[in-house]
Amino acid sequence: MLQAAFSHGISQAAHATTALVVTGGTNSGVMRLTGKALGDSDHKVQCLGIATWGVINGRKDLEGCH
């Protein structure tokens, strides 16, 4: 019930305000719930995930790129 209320509330609030939702970019905890809520929403909402370097898959392939 709480998860459903959160999902509905975050998608409605973001849509109503045309907000850019910023998360930590990981697939766990509240960030997972936020991403799922926005992905399942009927509304188009922009979401920006900013992950720390240590959690990025394949980061070794990116080292040295400028």
Side-chain angles (χ1 to χ4, degrees), residues 27-52:
N27 192 22
S28 63
V30 173
M31 290 175 272
R32 176 185 288 185
L33 293 176
T34 301
K36 181 158 178 36
L38 298 179
D40 291 346
S41 173
D42 292 335
H43 307 294
K44 281 199 165 198
V45 176
Q46 294 183 31
C47 185
L48 173 65
I50 302 173
T52 61

Side-chain angles (χ1 to χ4, degrees), residues 1-14 30 33-34 36-38 40-41:
M1 175 131 170
L2 182 58
Q3 183 177 344
F6 174 81
S7 295
H8 178 74
I10 191 103
S11 65
Q12 291 295 340
V30 173
L33 293 176
T34 301
K36 181 158 178 36
L38 298 179
D40 291 346
S41 173

